[in-house]
């Protein structure tokens, strides 16, 4: 059969229409299906499949803190675009778990926008990034991506003390024994005592602001380290106080200035949280403990999930907490003294 011009023209139009539709679908799919280019450096480049359109996002980047050699291996623009698992929302900003192409897992914080000006943020990140201590969760790297600041920390698989004591979404609490809780208290006390020996460039002793279980990160051997110790210098004191009503010293309600003695008070609340297994935000921890102790004694107030305890040791820990929670800041012991008292407790 011989095709006439009248039959060929509709066929050409149909084929052209099919070709244009196929190109459109390729472009559309290419935008959605991005694959990773695995290089020897573990970098991630958003590249579409072969023959499809290449799509990249490029925003201004700037390293705030960290070795430049690290910046070459972990390019800020690539880190910011990696898939993230949200771990929680803190006063300083959102916290994420991020798995790198090389297999390593890190914790990444996206700093809440508008907390402080750019120069102040960079100054304090560099200041605290340079501090190294066994009992502090170190900052490894920090950068700007577009208008957002990110901080990278080591990832600890057991998470925070708060998650272990109270559970988290979809996860049950962990029945930590008293000996492990005491060890965590010692580690946290070492972290705070060390920070209290450090000074700003003006010669003022460092403060933590609020010491709480969500900032105590626990390792596999139940040793612990303190995170978010930079928060008091990046977030207004009034904001921190409002978000942590159950943990702050009474004098902060009138004069919103953190001191090392107000740190000692919030550490006392942390000790009561370890003993009772109760959340400070749920109840007035200080009053709850003292009333229960009067009505039911020690047995009526400690966390039953701990199993067997030594009454004498528990009584001594309660006494340490009581000293930390004194109404008069001047009567509270210094943090190095608190550490010494906890270390002297019998196992």
């Amino acid at each position: 059969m011989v095709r006439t011009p009248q039959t060929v023209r509709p066929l050409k139009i149909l084929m052209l229409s099919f070709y244009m539709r196929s190109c459109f679908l390729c472009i559309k799919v290419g935008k959605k299906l991005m694959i990773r280019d695995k290089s020897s450096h573990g970098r991630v480049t958003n590249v579409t499949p072969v023959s499809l359109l290449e799509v990249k996002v490029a925003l201004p980047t700037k390293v705030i803190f960290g070795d430049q050699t690290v910046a070459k291996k972990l390019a800020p623009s690539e880190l910011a675009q990696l898939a993230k698992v949200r771990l929680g929302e803190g006063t300083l900003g959102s916290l994420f778990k991020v798995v790198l192409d090389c297999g390593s897992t890190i914790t990444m914080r996206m700093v809440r926008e508008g907390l402080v000006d750019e120069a102040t943020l960079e100054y304090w990140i560099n200041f605290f990034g340079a501090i190294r201590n066994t009992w502090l969760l170190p900052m490894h790297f920090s950068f700007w991506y577009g208008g957002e600041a990110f901080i990278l920390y080591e990832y600890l698989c057991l998470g925070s003390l708060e998650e272990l004591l109270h559970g988290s979404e979809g996860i049950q609490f962990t029945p930590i024994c008293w000996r492990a809780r005491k060890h965590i208290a010692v580690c946290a006390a070492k972290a705070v005592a060390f920070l209290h020996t450090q000074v700003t460039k003006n010669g003022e002793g460092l403060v933590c602001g609020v010491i709480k279980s969500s900032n105590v990160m626990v390792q596999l051997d139940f040793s612990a380290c303190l995170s978010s110790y930079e928060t008091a210098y990046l977030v207004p004191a009034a904001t921190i106080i409002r978000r942590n009503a159950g943990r702050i010293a009474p004098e902060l309600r009138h004069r919103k200035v953190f001191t090392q003695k107000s740190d000692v008070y919030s550490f006392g609340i942390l000790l009561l949280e370890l003993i009772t297994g109760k959340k400070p935000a749920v109840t007035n921890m200080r009053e709850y403990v003292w009333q229960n102790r009067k009505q039911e004694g020690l047995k009526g107030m400690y966390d039953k999930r701990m199993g067997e305890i030594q009454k004498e040791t528990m009584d001594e820990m309660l006494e340490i907490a009581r000293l930390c929670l004194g109404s008069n800041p001047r009567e509270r012991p210094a943090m190095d003294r608190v550490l010494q008292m906890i270390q002297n407790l019998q196992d």
Side-chain angles (χ1 to χ4, degrees):
M1 177 181 178
V2 179
R3 291 190 176 92
T4 65
Q6 288 81 5
T7 60
V8 172
R9 182 175 297 175
L11 183 61
K12 286 184 176 180
I13 293 173
L14 182 63
M15 291 176 66
L16 180 62
S17 175
F18 178 77
Y19 175 76
M20 292 178 66
R21 178 173 175 79
S22 299
C23 291
F24 173 76
L25 288 174
C26 285
I27 294 172
K28 187 175 181 181
V29 172
K31 290 180 179 179
K32 293 182 178 179
L33 301 178
M34 294 182 181
I35 62 172
R36 291 181 176 177
D37 175 25
K38 299 181 179 178
S39 68
S40 59
H41 300 294
R43 290 191 175 189
V44 174
T45 306
N46 289 335
V47 182
T48 56
V50 178
S51 81
L52 297 182
L53 245 132
E54 184 175 331
V55 180
K56 290 185 179 180
V57 178
L59 293 176
T61 61
K62 176 186 176 184
V63 174
I64 300 173
F65 170 82
D67 194 332
Q68 290 296 330
T69 58
V70 176
K72 291 178 182 178
K73 293 182 179 180
L74 303 173
S77 60
E78 296 170 357
L79 284 168
Q81 296 181 76
L82 283 172
K84 305 174 184 64
V85 176
R86 188 184 183 87
L87 297 175
E89 182 73 20
T91 308
L92 192 56
S94 302
L95 205 62
F96 300 93
K97 171 185 173 182
V98 179
V99 180
L100 305 177
D101 275 1
C102 61
S104 300
T105 304
I106 59 171
T107 301
M108 179 186 291
R109 186 184 298 280
M110 183 186 296
V111 180
R112 196 185 307 277
E113 191 175 355
L115 287 177
V116 291
D117 61 85
E118 181 178 328
T120 302
L121 179 70
E122 292 184 2
Y123 172 82
W124 286 115
I125 287 179
N126 276 283
F127 178 87
F128 284 104
I131 295 178
R132 288 291 182 268
N133 182 267
T134 303
W135 313 111
L136 299 177
L137 187 69
M139 291 184 194
H140 289 314
F141 193 59
S142 180
F143 61 90
W144 288 101
Y145 179 67
E148 297 175 320
F150 296 82
I151 307 174
L152 273 59
Y153 311 87
E154 182 180 352
Y155 174 76
L156 301 182
C157 60
L158 287 187
S160 70
L161 175 60
E162 181 182 54
E163 291 171 317
L164 294 177
L165 286 177
H166 312 299
S168 57
E169 187 176 350
I171 302 175
Q172 281 280 353
F173 63 84
T174 302
I176 313 172
C177 69
W178 171 241
R179 188 170 184 175
R181 296 188 194 205
K182 176 178 172 287
H183 183 53
I184 291 170
V186 170
C187 296
K190 285 181 178 180
V192 180
F194 170 77
L195 279 173
H196 283 186
T197 66
Q198 305 300 296
V199 296
T200 66
K201 70 174 184 178
N202 296 326
E204 299 175 352
L206 292 186
V207 296
C208 298
V210 175
I211 301 154
K212 53 185 180 178
S213 57
S214 60
N215 292 340
V216 178
M217 311 307 293
V218 184
Q219 305 185 68
L220 287 173
D221 62 353
F222 285 102
S223 59
C225 55
L226 188 68
S227 68
S228 300
Y229 40 87
E230 69 276 20
T231 301
Y233 295 87
L234 297 176
V235 180
T239 301
I240 299 174
I241 292 168
R242 185 178 67 251
R243 292 172 62 98
N244 298 278
R247 297 180 174 92
I248 63 164
E251 65 269 17
L252 293 177
R253 300 188 190 108
H254 310 291
R255 185 171 180 265
K256 302 186 187 308
V257 177
F258 294 115
T259 66
Q260 293 189 348
K261 288 302 180 77
S262 68
D263 281 353
V264 172
Y265 185 97
S266 65
F267 186 82
I269 295 292
L270 179 69
L271 291 181
L272 293 186
E273 189 172 358
L274 282 166
I275 292 169
T276 65
K278 302 288 185 183
K279 280 188 176 183
V282 173
T283 181
N284 185 322
M285 184 69 78
R286 186 171 179 268
E287 294 303 318
Y288 169 84
V289 169
W290 302 156
Q291 288 179 11
N292 271 29
R293 193 176 187 184
K294 288 179 182 178
Q295 295 172 4
E296 303 180 41
L298 182 63
K299 189 176 181 180
M301 53 173 291
Y302 75 85
D303 189 353
K304 305 301 185 297
R305 298 172 298 179
M306 287 190 289
E308 292 185 8
I309 63 165
Q310 291 185 344
K311 183 178 182 301
E312 183 179 346
T313 303
M314 187 71 75
D315 270 333
E316 291 174 352
M317 185 69 90
L318 275 170
E319 178 59 20
I320 296 171
R322 187 189 68 80
L323 294 172
C324 292
L325 296 170
S327 299
N328 187 343
R330 296 177 184 175
E331 295 176 357
R332 297 171 201 154
M335 203 61 218
D336 57 353
R337 175 58 183 153
V338 174
L339 170 60
Q340 186 180 24
M341 288 189 288
I342 298 174
Q343 288 177 318
N344 289 340
L345 291 178
Q346 297 179 0
D347 287 328

